[in-house]
């Protein structure tokens, strides 16, 4: 039985009427995305049709999910909101803080020892405020959500960019910063610019080595890391129906890598099968009753060009395996072209590690397909050249996989490491031997992100993203340019053998099983629970409010850093070892922008102080400006803040005295996070003005006192030779968001409204 069937039934009950109202206002057939959005309006049934990509709309999501690395900040903020309980069903998942080193049992125990304080904090805050807590080892947030909470036609938000994974079950599930989660948990509306719609028509059927992962690797190649910005990607067509629910999840998951607000699929038989297999007949039965509302209208899918802002068509029958990378998830290379491309680019061909896991690809089906490759290799006398590492997605997946012999299959390779059911190497929680030597090397993995330093902290590790079965094949060949479709391998007897095509099982024949799923339900009345955060703690720090704006124009600001090229949230607030400070704003601020490339020197974490000309680390310089009462600004390139939902990337600069971030373009979640934390997130009206910014400039925001909706801001840039450039800045703040800025943060405003 589902956790919250009552809530789900209530949502479904509204559906027919809510959709009828939306139809009337929109006066056209509806996509699935529109159906879900219009049934989740904060103000009830549709009173107007919204302009896509233009209007801000208030929504009422059905649930909230958080993971340990972001929940700390989200819950520290929620504790300030003055509420007794969360207003919608919410869960927290302990999955990011577990270091992969020796293997599951030892690593989990070690993580419990080192993160005890944080896990206890999360567990008791959850208990107090009525939030479900999934303990360390229970699994990766998005896999656990897919197995337990996601439901067709629902809307959820989560403090993790891969919340979008739940689109695999036909949800609109969106990644947000903690401050957004606080809004929803505090019973307030959640605001989003009504998204644009990209339709992806899938025809044909996958076969051979092509996997769901290759669909999204291909889409990423087409749309690039910013091509999905501000849009929901809706998949449809016969090909979509042929994919398993977890395969759909993989595709939606990596929509985060192309900046999409979310991705989704219409309710179909494979989703129904998955719901039933995961003990949710009740949800499947309820969904069947309103089936026609849980997918796009037939007219839409028949004439997609008329109803989507953009349409892409992919024939699954023609799709071949891809590897994307290095350093960016949109650099797509068909495996058949890798030989040539790798040599041309001087990518190391020998592969040392092949990692299967992450929220993207850690389902039962994924493990079966990879295990089939291993079994085939063993039967043909092949030994692996690279080490295979595996993080199962959840305890339910792991337990079932073990029962069904999949773990035994993997262990037939002596070097295989089975890590905890957690994020592990995907988020730099990987104690990789020798990584500190910073040697140039290649790894392949089934994760979603491959930014520099992400997995092992080594900037020279070239990470490539592929399907679990491709990763398994490369583990055996030890070569990046191995094409299992055409290439042979030499076995122990010196014979040339070819790997058989992967052979997977969509769902376990004997059903899923688990002994202890790791769930902790909150107590009914948590009012007596006291949350204590020690003043001495290096891991947790209660928050103090950011200072409200004084109403004056910001004058005399200095440049903290002008970042050049890719500046993802991993560059702004690195993960890996820094995850340990996710609940302590002052301590984690010591990683602020340390990965960003200084446009003037090409170096990282070295900027010139405009106070005394010294060169120091970015956080240190920021602290000296702050101490001297100087406001600082950050300048950046395109798609600034791409990647994670972590609001630390906004809170840290805010804490260190940065008031404005001026860039060529933003990634959606980061832009909102800046707004929520009371900062100015601005874009150059004329992109070329980026080039005007010099290291020793002084910045005057001369009309900030007239800050208003749809009106550009003026920036006076005074150069050291006293010449001045006056440039125009665009912004997307509406009046409410301007109030966040004025109040010092969105949270300050909530608090004010609650008292
Ligand atoms: C990630 O994959 O980068 C993370 C770690 O899951 C983040 C969240 C975080 O920074 O804690 C995400 O994707 O939002
Ligand atoms: Fe965890 Fe990696 Fe998924 Fe982020 S992308 S939630 S770190 S598994």
């Amino acid at each position: 039985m589902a956790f919250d069937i009552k809530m789900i039934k209530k949502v479904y009950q509204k559906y027919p009427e809510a959709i009828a109202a939306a139809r009337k206002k929109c006066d056209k057939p509806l996509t699935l995305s529109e159906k879900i959005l219009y049934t989740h309006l904060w103000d009830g049934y549709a009173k107007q049709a919204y302009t896509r990509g233009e209007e801000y709309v208030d929504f009422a999501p059905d649930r909230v999910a958080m993971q340990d690395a972001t929940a700390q900040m989200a819950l520290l903020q929620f504790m300030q909101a003055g509420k007794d309980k969360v207003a919608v069903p919410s869960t927290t998942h302990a999955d990011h803080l577990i270091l992969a080193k020796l293997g599951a049992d030892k690593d989990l125990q070690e993580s419990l020892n080192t993160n005890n304080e944080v896990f206890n904090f999360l567990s008791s805050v959850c208990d107090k405020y009525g939030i479900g807590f999934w303990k360390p080892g229970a699994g990766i947030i998005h896999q656990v959500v897919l197995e337990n909470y996601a439901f067709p036609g629902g809307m959820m938000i989560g403090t993790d960019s891969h919340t979008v994974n739940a689109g695999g079950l036909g949800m609109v599930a969106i990644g947000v910063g903690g401050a957004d989660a606080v809004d929803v948990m505090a019973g307030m509306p959640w605001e989003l610019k009504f998204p644009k719609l990209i339709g992806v028509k899938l025809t044909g059927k996958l076969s051979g080595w092509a996997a769901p992962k290759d669909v999204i690797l291909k889409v990423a190649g087409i749309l690039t890391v910013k091509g999905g910005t501000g849009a929901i990607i809706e998949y449809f067509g016969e090909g979509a129906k042929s994919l398993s629910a977890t395969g759909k999840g993989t595709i939606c998951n990596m929509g985060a890598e192309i900046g999409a607000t979310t991705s989704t699929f219409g309710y179909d038989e494979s989703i129904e099968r998955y719901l039933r297999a995961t003990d949710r007949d009740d949800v499947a039965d309820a969904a069947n009753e309103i089936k026609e509302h849980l997918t796009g209208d037939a007219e839409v899918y028949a004439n997609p060009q008329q109803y989507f802002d953009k349409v892409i068509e992919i024939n699954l029958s023609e799709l071949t395996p891809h590897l994307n990378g290095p350093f960016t998830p949109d650099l797509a290379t068909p495996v058949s072209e890798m030989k040539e491309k790798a040599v041309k680019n001087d990518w190391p061909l020998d592969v040392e590690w092949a990692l299967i896991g992450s929220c993207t690809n850690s389902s039962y089906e994924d493990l079966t397909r990879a295990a089939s490759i291993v079994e085939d290799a063993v039967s043909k006398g092949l030994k692996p050249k690279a080490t295979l590492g595996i993080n199962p997605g959840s305890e339910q997946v792991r337990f079932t996989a073990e029962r069904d012999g999949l773990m035994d299959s993997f262990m037939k390779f002596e070097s295989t490491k089975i890590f905890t059911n957690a994020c592990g190497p995907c988020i730099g929680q990987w104690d990789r031997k020798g990584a500190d030597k910073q040697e140039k090397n290649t790894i392949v993995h089934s994760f979603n992100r491959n930014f520099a330093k992400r997995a092992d902290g080594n900037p020279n590790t070239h990470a490539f993203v592929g399907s679990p079965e491709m990763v398994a094949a490369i583990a055996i060949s030890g070569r990046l340019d191995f094409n299992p479709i055409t290439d042979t391998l030499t076995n122990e007897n010196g014979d040339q053998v070819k790997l058989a095509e992967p052979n997977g099982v969509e769902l376990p024949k004997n059903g899923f099983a688990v002994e202890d799923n790791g769930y902790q339900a909150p107590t009914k009345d948590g009012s007596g629970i006291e949350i204590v955060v020690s003043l001495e703690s290096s891991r947790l720090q209660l928050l103090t409010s950011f200072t409200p704006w004084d109403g004056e124009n910001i004058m005399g600001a200095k440049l903290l850093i002008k970042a050049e090229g890719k500046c993802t949230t991993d560059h702004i607030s690195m993960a890996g070892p820094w995850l340990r400070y996710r609940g302590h704003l002052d301590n984690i601020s010591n990683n602020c922008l340390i990965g960003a490339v200084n446009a003037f020197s090409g170096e990282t974490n070295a900027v010139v102080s405009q106070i005394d000309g010294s060169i120091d680390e970015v956080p240190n310089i920021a602290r000296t400006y702050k101490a001297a009462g100087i406001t600082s600004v950050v300048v950046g390139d395109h798609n600034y803040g791409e990647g994670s939902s972590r609001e630390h990337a906004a809170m840290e600069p805010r804490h260190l005295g940065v008031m404005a971030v001026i860039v060529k373009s933003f990634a959606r979640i980061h832009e909102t996070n800046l707004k929520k934390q009371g900062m100015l997130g601005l874009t150059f009206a004329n992109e070329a003005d980026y080039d005007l910014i010099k290291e020793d400039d002084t910045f005057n925001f001369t009309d900030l006192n007239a800050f208003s909706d749809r009106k550009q801001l003026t920036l006076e840039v005074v150069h050291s030779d006293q010449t001045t450039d006056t440039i125009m800045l665009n912004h997307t703040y509406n009046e409410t968001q301007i109030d966040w800025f004025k109040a010092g943060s969105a949270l300050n405003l909530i608090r004010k409204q609650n008292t």
Side-chain angles (χ1 to χ4, degrees), residues 42-104:
W42 177 261
D43 288 333
Y45 298 156
K47 297 181 185 64
Q48 66 169 104
Y50 293 102
T51 317
R52 309 201 293 240
E54 291 265 326
E55 278 171 279
Y56 281 102
V57 180
D58 281 344
F59 291 101
D62 303 316
R63 67 165 34 253
V64 174
M66 292 162 283
Q67 42 87 345
D68 50 1
T70 49
Q72 297 173 58
M73 215 35 105
L75 294 174
L76 282 164
Q77 293 177 80
F78 182 73
M79 285 162 65
Q80 293 198 316
K83 300 280 170 186
D84 297 334
K85 264 209 173 347
V86 286
V88 301
S90 306
T91 50
T92 296
H93 304 254
D95 55 357
H96 279 63
L97 296 178
I98 304 163
L99 187 73
K101 184 177 180 185
L102 301 169

Side-chain angles (χ1 to χ4, degrees), residues 357-369:
S358 95
C359 53
T360 336
N361 271 120
S362 53
S363 66
Y364 182 84
E365 183 183 27
D366 288 332
L367 296 187
T368 60
R369 288 177 68 89

Side-chain angles (χ1 to χ4, degrees), residues 81-159:
K83 300 280 170 186
D84 297 334
K85 264 209 173 347
V86 286
V88 301
S90 306
T91 50
T92 296
H93 304 254
D95 55 357
H96 279 63
L97 296 178
I98 304 163
L99 187 73
K101 184 177 180 185
L102 301 169
D105 294 349
K106 291 202 179 92
D107 293 349
L108 181 58
Q109 190 50 53
E110 178 61 23
S111 149
L112 293 173
N113 299 343
T114 48
N115 299 305
N116 184 25
E117 182 188 2
V118 171
F119 291 148
N120 283 344
F121 168 77
L122 292 175
S123 147
S124 49
V125 176
C126 287
D127 215 15
K128 181 171 178 70
Y129 295 109
I131 301 169
F133 182 57
W134 289 79
K135 294 184 274 190
I140 305 174
I141 172 170
H142 312 300
Q143 190 66 37
V144 173
V145 165
L146 202 72
E147 284 172 8
N148 295 282
Y149 300 116
F151 65 98
M155 178 190 264
M156 71 178 273
I157 59 163
T159 61

Side-chain angles (χ1 to χ4, degrees), residues 67 69-70 96 160-162 427 449 454 582 644-646:
Q67 42 87 345
T70 49
H96 279 63
D160 189 284
S161 61
H162 293 106
I427 191 54
R449 294 197 173 137
R454 180 166 167 104
R582 281 290 184 84
S644 158
S645 66
R646 62 190 75 144

Side-chain angles (χ1 to χ4, degrees), residues 459-657:
N460 302 315
T461 292
H462 292 52
F464 290 83
V465 181
S467 68
E469 47 266 53
M470 254 323 285
V471 172
I474 292 183
I476 296 156
S477 67
R479 297 273 300 189
L480 177 66
D481 57 352
F482 176 64
N483 181 354
I485 302 170
T486 51
D487 297 354
T488 55
L489 294 165
T490 315
N491 75 1
E492 321 178 280
N493 308 322
D495 299 332
Q496 292 299 302
V497 293
K498 234 174 124 185
L499 289 176
E501 288 175 351
N503 181 7
V505 181
E506 181 185 318
L507 293 161
K509 281 191 202 71
N510 298 322
F512 281 108
V514 65
E515 244 162 36
D516 174 6
N517 65 3
Y519 177 67
Q520 172 189 297
T523 38
K524 276 225 154 57
D525 177 12
S527 57
I529 298 170
E530 215 192 317
I531 312 293
V532 195
V533 172
S534 152
L535 284 175
E536 270 84 63
S537 173
S538 66
R539 309 263 325 241
L540 295 166
Q541 182 185 43
L542 291 177
L543 292 171
T544 48
S545 325
F546 291 130
T547 328
W549 177 52
D550 61 7
E552 302 289 326
N553 287 334
I554 296 174
M555 304 294 277
K558 292 290 180 190
L559 181 73
L560 176 59
I561 186 170
K562 175 172 165 180
E564 184 181 60
K566 218 177 187 35
C567 193
T568 71
T569 44
D570 278 1
H571 297 82
I572 308 171
S573 173
M574 230 165 247
W578 289 95
L579 286 179
R580 93 171 63 100
Y581 299 121
R582 281 290 184 84
H584 196 295
L585 183 55
D586 193 50
N587 283 348
I588 198 158
S589 293
N590 289 330
N591 81 357
C592 185
L593 284 155
I594 62 176
V597 177
N598 181 344
F600 302 106
S601 63
E603 286 178 34
T604 51
N605 204 17
V607 286
V608 179
S609 159
Q610 297 311 318
I611 297 181
D612 59 11
S614 61
I615 297 181
D616 203 344
E617 298 181 357
V618 184
N620 292 346
I621 298 283
R623 287 188 196 273
T624 54
Y625 286 157
K626 189 178 173 186
I630 300 170
T631 301
S632 50
V633 305
V634 169
V635 170
D637 223 309
H638 271 301
N639 210 21
Y640 182 90
E642 148 189 9
S644 158
S645 66
R646 62 190 75 144
E647 61 201 325
H648 304 77
M651 293 178 91
E652 293 175 26
R654 175 77 166 104
H655 175 64
L656 296 180

